[in-house]
Amino acid sequence: MRIALDAMGSDRAPAVEVEGAVGALLDLDAGASVVLVGDRDRIEAELARWPDAPRDRLAIVHASEVIEMHEAPATAIRRKRDSSIVVGVRLLQAGEVDAFISAGSTGAVMAASLVILRTLQGVDRPPVGARIPTSTGRCLALDVGANVDTKPHQLVQFAQLGSVYAEDMLGIDRPRIGLLNIGSEPEKGNEVVLEAHQLLAALPDINFVGNIEGRDIVTGKCDVLVADGFVGNVLLKFYESVAGLITSMLRREFAEQGVQMDFDRVFRSLDYTGVGGAPLLGVNGVVIICHGGSPPHAIRNAIGVAAQSVNRRMVEHMAARLSQAPAEEAQP
């Protein structure tokens, strides 16, 4: 297995990526390797700081350009064809690697994946998924920002993709699919959600448990939470801020009471970086998107998630599931 990693994507590239890659190789099978994509000289200089790194399992593919966060994604992937993102996605498309990971511009990774890899048959718009903490474990929320406006049948596609992800990656048999809404009743919500509810309820291969209100997310009432990218992104960023808020409040309160507590353990249970990036689901290949501010352990975990996705043939399973869907569901 070869996993391509955009070495120029994060806020502290390539130091974070190199450290994450070196750590990940300790977790992966001996036959697995990581391909670092980016400025060869800068990557080599960073690798020099890790003399014990297994260099026989680390390759470098030079890319002379970097797509910056402020650049328009569609324009950037056309103009910067030698960027680390475009080069990495092309390696995946050519079959030279088995997965691609980037902590760079989310929009550019999405645009490159759509143009170069294309979507699976039956997928209009690939969603980005994120695993958020609940009282019973973690729930996959999608979409969390890729598609601001969605149609009912696209929410159904998200549910199908999320169901396969939960089965393959989380080991959940018949995962419970919930639709984020302002009420639990089927008649609640806007026109898009109302129609999506009807479509999901009629699908025989989906374990649809109905509408999920915001207050019910943390109780673990579903394994996959479906929403449009606008609402999903707001939800994700709220969750990302919760860990620091809760731990700071607990520290202050317990300090006043003179009580000792393992706050680091509490923080880890809420920390998004422990999950290993957000999968871009519904494209012809394993693509993982990481936060620009990811620390090394987040990159390390993302590589592990990518390897698991490949080993469990997740993309093939998604293609098979979507091919069984009624044709009218895939119409734009």
Side-chain angles (χ1 to χ4, degrees):
M1 184 188 300
R2 303 183 81 207
I3 297 173
L5 173 63
D6 172 11
M8 315 307 294
S10 76
D11 298 342
R12 295 185 289 129
V16 165
E17 284 82 356
V18 169
E19 182 176 346
V22 171
L25 291 176
L26 299 175
D27 307 326
L28 300 178
D29 293 338
S33 61
V34 174
V35 179
L36 297 165
V37 184
D39 187 309
R40 183 181 298 276
D41 290 341
R42 291 181 61 189
I43 295 171
E44 288 284 10
E46 195 59 40
L47 279 171
R49 298 179 56 245
W50 301 92
D52 296 331
R55 290 302 300 267
D56 58 325
R57 299 170 62 195
L58 283 166
I60 300 174
V61 172
H62 181 67
S64 62
E65 299 173 303
V66 176
I67 295 177
E68 304 294 343
M69 294 292 186
H70 66 271
E71 296 184 77
T75 303
I77 65 167
R78 289 195 303 269
R79 291 182 177 176
K80 292 186 173 180
R81 297 186 179 183
D82 199 41
S83 65
S84 54
I85 288 175
V86 173
V87 171
V89 174
R90 288 201 179 280
L91 289 172
L92 180 56
Q93 189 270 339
E96 296 182 36
V97 298
D98 301 292
F100 175 68
I101 302 165
S102 177
S105 165
T106 298
V109 174
M110 286 192 54
S113 298
L114 283 170
V115 171
I116 298 169
L117 299 176
R118 305 291 184 180
T119 61
L120 298 173
Q121 184 176 357
V123 176
D124 295 349
R125 299 179 180 180
V128 174
R131 289 162 61 180
I132 57 177
T134 72
S135 61
T136 59
R138 287 189 182 267
C139 166
L140 178 71
L142 73 169
D143 183 18
V144 293
N147 307 285
V148 176
D149 296 307
T150 56
K151 297 179 180 178
H153 74 275
Q154 291 164 344
L155 293 176
V156 173
Q157 292 170 8
F158 297 171
Q160 292 170 313
L161 295 168
S163 183
V164 175
Y165 183 93
E167 291 168 5
D168 285 1
M169 302 298 293
L170 306 181
I172 301 172
D173 184 35
R174 285 189 56 78
R176 298 163 299 162
I177 311 298
L179 183 64
L180 187 58
N181 204 343
I182 59 172
S184 60
E185 301 86 354
E187 62 272 11
K188 287 289 185 69
N190 57 29
E191 292 182 5
V192 172
V193 173
L194 285 170
E195 185 176 343
H197 188 286
Q198 293 178 343
L199 293 173
L200 286 167
L203 277 183
D205 63 336
I206 290 290
N207 182 18
F208 181 53
V209 296
N211 292 331
I212 300 294
E213 295 184 76
R215 64 187 177 189
D216 293 326
I217 299 172
V218 295
T219 63
K221 285 195 172 182
C222 66
D223 304 302
V224 177
L225 183 68
V226 176
D228 65 62
F230 183 94
V231 174
N233 189 261
V234 172
L235 173 66
L236 177 64
K237 289 179 178 176
F238 174 77
Y239 256 100
E240 289 178 353
S241 67
V242 164
L245 173 65
I246 291 179
T247 52
S248 64
M249 292 174 66
L250 287 174
R251 277 185 204 277
R252 185 170 59 250
E253 183 67 24
F254 277 68
E256 292 175 358
Q257 300 293 329
V259 178
Q260 296 295 319
M261 182 176 177
D262 185 357
F263 293 102
D264 289 337
R265 185 168 61 86
V266 175
F267 184 85
R268 284 194 300 272
S269 69
L270 297 171
D271 185 14
Y272 72 92
T273 64
V275 176
L280 178 62
L281 304 179
V283 295
N284 275 297
V286 175
V287 177
I288 307 291
I289 299 173
C290 297
H291 199 290
S294 293
H297 76 266
I299 300 297
R300 178 175 180 168
N301 291 335
I303 294 172
V305 169
Q308 185 182 11
S309 301
V310 174
N311 281 330
R312 300 191 178 179
R313 301 168 63 189
M314 182 184 71
V315 174
E316 292 178 44
H317 294 161
M318 288 180 176
R321 176 70 59 85
L322 288 159
S323 69
Q324 299 168 2
E328 61 267 19
E329 290 175 12
Q331 295 301 315

